[in-house]
C-alpha cells in the first residue's frame, strides 16, 4: 500500500493538457517546453500555487522563454568535470556533493540540474556503492552532502541504507541533506522518517524556500518535526526575477523562516543554467537586498549571498561594501542607515 505522500507524488501533474484545466496556459507553448524539460507538480503544491498565484506558479509552470536562452550552459557549475565517479562531485577539499536521488517533489523551472532532472532513471545501487567506495578511500572527506534530485523522495529504507553506509565510514564527520520537501511536499516528513533520521547524527538539513507563500501550516509542522529530531535546519533561497527579487519579500521570508527554527544559510544568485536566463537578476539586485537586511533584522536572519562560479570555481560570497575609504590607520564606514563613522586601527604595527 502506498503512503499518503507516495499517493500525492503519483498523482502529480506532468501533462500540460491536464494543467490547462486548472489555470490559463499557453498549451502549445507548454508542450514544446515539456518535450525538452519535463514538468512535475504534486497535488499539494498545485493547490497551494492556485491559491497563492504567480509567486509559486512561475516556479513550476513551463515558460517558452526556457527555450530562448542565449548564454546558458547544460552544466554551468562543471559538476561533471569535478566528478571522480558518477553522481559525486568533489570540488572542495573536505566535502563532497553526492547525488543520491533523481526525483523531486516538483520540478523547479530554474533548476541548476535541468540537464538531468526528470530525464535520468533512478540512481542505481551499483552507482551508490561506487560512491561509498570513493568516500571511504578519501580520508579528507569529512562532510557528505546528499542531494539529487531530492534525497527525501527515496523510501525510508533506501535512505536509511545510504545514511548508514555513509555513517559507517570512520572519517565522515557530518552528513547534510539538501531538500525542498518541507516546503513542497511536507506530508513526506513523517514521524517514522524522523525516528530513522535521528539515528544518524550529526545530521544537518538545508531546506529550499523561495517565498513566504511556501510557508504553510503543514510546512511549519514538517520543519518542527525535523527540528524536534535534533536536526539543525538551514535554508537556501534562489534569487528569482519576478518572484522574490524585492527586499521586503526576502525580509519577510527570512524572518518567517527563523520563527520556524530554520536559519537562513545561502541566498543563491541564479546559475548560468541553460533555460533559466529569464529568472536571473543583476548582481546589484542581490546586494541591494543584503544591504536592506543587515542591521534591520536579526543577524540570524541574514543569509550569505553567494555566486556559484561557472566552470566549477565554487561558491563565493558577495558582500555589500561598508568601508568607504581607508586613510592611514583610519577607516571610514557607513552603517546600515547610511551614516558615516570612523574606526582607528591600533597604533602598534
Ligand atoms: C555547494 C556545494 C557544496 C557545499 O558548499 P558549502 O559552502 O560547504 O555549503 C559542496 N560541494 C559542491 C560541489 C557544491 O556545489
Amino acid at each position: 500500500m502506498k503512503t499518503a505522500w507516495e499517493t500525492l507524488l503519483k498523482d502529480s501533474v506532468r501533462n500540460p493538457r491536464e494543467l490547462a484545466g486548472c489555470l490559463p496556459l499557453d498549451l502549445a507553448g507548454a508542450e514544446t517546453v515539456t518535450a525538452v524539460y519535463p514538468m512535475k507538480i504534486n497535488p499539494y503544491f498545485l493547490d497551494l500555487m492556485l491559491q497563492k498565484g504567480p509567486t509559486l506558479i512561475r516556479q513550476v509552470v513551463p515558460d517558452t522563454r526556457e527555450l530562448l536562452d542565449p548564454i546558458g550552459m547544460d552544466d554551468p557549475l562543471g559538476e561533471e568535470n569535478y566528478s571522480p565517479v558518477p553522481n559525486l562531485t568533489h570540488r572542495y577539499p573536505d566535502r563532497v556533493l553526492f547525488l543520491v536521488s533523481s526525483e523531486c517533489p516538483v520540478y523547479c523551472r530554474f533548476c541548476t540540474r535541468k540537464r538531468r532532472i526528470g530525464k535520468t532513471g533512478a540512481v542505481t545501487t551499483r552507482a551508490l556503492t561506487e560512491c561509498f567506495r570513493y568516500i571511504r578511500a578519501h580520508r579528507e572527506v569529512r562532510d557528505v552532502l546528499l542531494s539529487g534530485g531530492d534525497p527525501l523522495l527515496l523510501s525510508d529504507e533506501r535512505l536509511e541504507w545510504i545514511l548508514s553506509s555513509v555513517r559507517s565510514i570512520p572519517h565522515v564527520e557530518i552528513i547534510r541533506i539538501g531538500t525542498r520537501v518541507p516546503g513542497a511536499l511536507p506530508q513526506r516528513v513523517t514521524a517514522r522518517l524522523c525516528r530513522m533520521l535521528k539515528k544518524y547524527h550529526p545530521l544537518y538539513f538545508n531546506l529550499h524556500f523561495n517565498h513566504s507563500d511556501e510557508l504553510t501550516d503543514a510546512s511549519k509542522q514538517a520543519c518542527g518535526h525535523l527540528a524536534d529530531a535534533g536536526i539543525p535546519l538551514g535554508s537556501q533561497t534562489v534569487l528569482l526575477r519576478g518572484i522574490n527579487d524585492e527586499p521586503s519579500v526576502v525580509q519577510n521570508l527570512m524572518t518567517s523562516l527563523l520563527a520556524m527554527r530554520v536559519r537562513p544559510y545561502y541566498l543563491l544568485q541564479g546559475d548560468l543554467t541553460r533555460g533559466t536566463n529569464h529568472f536571473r537578476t543583476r548582481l546589484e539586485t542581490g546586494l541591494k537586498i543584503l544591504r536592506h537586511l543587515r542591521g534591520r533584522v536579526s543577524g540570524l536572519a541574514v543569509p550569505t549571498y553567494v555566486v556559484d562560479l561557472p566552470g566549477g570555481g565554487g561558491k563565493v560570497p558577495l558582500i555589500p561594501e561598508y568601508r568607504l575609504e581607508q586613510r592611514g590607520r583610519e577607516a571610514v564606514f557607513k552603517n546600515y542607515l547610511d551614516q558615516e563613522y570612523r574606526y582607528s586601527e591600533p597604533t602598534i604595527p
Side-chain angles (χ1 to χ4, degrees):
M1 223 195 54
K2 280 194 165 26
T3 56
W5 68 271
E6 287 168 326
T7 306
L8 281 168
L9 266 185
K10 178 180 66 64
D11 293 340
S12 293
V13 174
R14 296 165 178 274
N15 184 336
R17 195 168 293 280
E18 194 180 338
L19 188 62
C22 305
L23 79 175
L25 183 72
D26 162 14
L27 181 57
E31 281 174 338
T32 10
V33 176
T34 53
V36 185
Y37 302 116
M39 170 178 79
K40 177 176 174 187
I41 310 173
N42 74 63
Y44 165 81
F45 203 87
L46 181 70
D47 276 355
L48 189 62
M49 84 178 198
L50 294 175
Q51 279 173 50
K52 301 290 184 179
T55 53
L56 304 191
I57 291 174
R58 289 177 183 153
Q59 294 189 46
V60 294
V61 172
D63 184 311
T64 49
R65 287 176 293 181
E66 291 172 45
L67 302 175
L68 305 169
D69 183 341
I71 60 171
M73 301 177 264
D74 280 331
D75 179 15
L77 307 180
E79 289 181 332
E80 317 281 352
N81 292 339
Y82 285 80
S83 179
V85 280
N87 298 297
L88 186 139
T89 298
H90 194 173
R91 182 179 340 280
Y92 298 109
D94 73 335
R95 54 207 188 279
V96 293
L97 173 68
F98 183 5
L99 307 181
V100 296
S101 158
S102 57
E103 268 308 325
C104 282
V106 293
Y107 292 159
C108 307
R109 306 318 298 177
F110 49 86
C111 181
T112 290
R113 301 198 188 97
K114 232 170 143 66
R115 67 182 183 282
R116 298 168 55 114
I117 297 306
K119 301 182 181 207
T120 57
V123 182
T124 62
T125 300
R126 176 196 282 258
L128 293 170
T129 307
E130 284 301 309
C131 293
F132 302 149
R133 193 201 307 276
Y134 177 88
I135 297 167
R136 197 172 276 281
H138 288 259
R139 300 195 44 191
E140 69 276 23
V141 177
R142 37 168 298 283
D143 173 359
V144 175
L145 171 48
L146 307 182
S147 184
D150 196 313
L152 295 195
L153 284 221
L154 300 173
S155 67
D156 292 357
E157 290 69 27
R158 182 108 175 135
L159 184 58
E160 176 153 29
W161 175 66
I162 294 168
L163 286 169
S164 60
S165 303
V166 174
R167 195 30 91 218
S168 75
I169 302 171
H171 53 269
V172 172
E173 293 170 4
I174 67 169
I175 303 176
R176 293 194 257 178
I177 289 184
T179 176
R180 196 169 178 178
V181 152
L185 186 65
Q187 297 76 2
R188 170 66 184 103
V189 182
T190 58
R192 185 171 189 265
L193 176 71
C194 294
R195 274 197 304 276
M196 183 277 279
L197 292 171
K198 69 199 265 197
K199 294 192 262 171
Y200 299 97
H201 280 310
L203 178 64
Y204 289 73
F205 269 36
N206 259 324
L207 314 181
H208 177 176
F209 289 103
N210 299 320
H211 196 281
S212 49
D213 285 347
E214 294 154 34
L215 310 180
T216 62
D217 289 344
S219 69
K220 286 175 195 173
Q221 249 182 35
C223 292
H225 291 321
L226 292 168
D228 288 345
I231 303 169
L233 305 177
S235 75
Q236 308 197 142
T237 297
V238 184
L239 192 52
L240 296 166
R241 180 188 292 270
I243 294 172
N244 61 14
D245 56 342
E246 294 262 352
S248 61
V249 171
V250 177
Q251 175 178 343
N252 192 4
L253 175 61
M254 298 302 153
T255 52
S256 305
L257 285 170
L258 259 197
M260 296 165 49
R261 296 190 277 170
V262 180
R263 164 76 160 97
Y265 179 54
Y266 281 150
L267 176 66
L268 296 152
Q269 174 65 20
D271 295 327
L272 258 77
T273 311
R274 191 193 313 284
T276 66
N277 190 52
H278 59 293
F279 281 115
R280 291 192 295 127
T281 60
R282 302 291 303 267
L283 297 173
E284 205 41 60
T285 307
L287 282 168
K288 192 172 129 203
I289 291 170
L290 263 275
R291 266 194 298 268
H292 171 83
L293 292 177
R294 176 63 65 193
R296 211 158 267 108
V297 297
S298 312
L300 283 172
V302 182
T304 304
Y305 176 37
V306 294
V307 183
D308 214 338
L309 297 173
K315 296 179 185 71
V316 291
L318 267 175
I319 301 167
E321 198 58 76
Y322 290 97
R323 186 165 64 166
L324 301 176
E325 57 177 314
Q326 180 84 30
R327 295 194 202 116
R329 291 187 193 274
E330 192 173 67
V332 183
F333 287 90
K334 74 175 175 201
N335 72 357
Y336 75 104
L337 295 170
D338 259 339
Q339 298 155 331
E340 268 190 40
Y341 288 86
R342 278 146 217 276
Y343 174 86
S344 292
E345 292 181 314
T347 52
I348 46 174

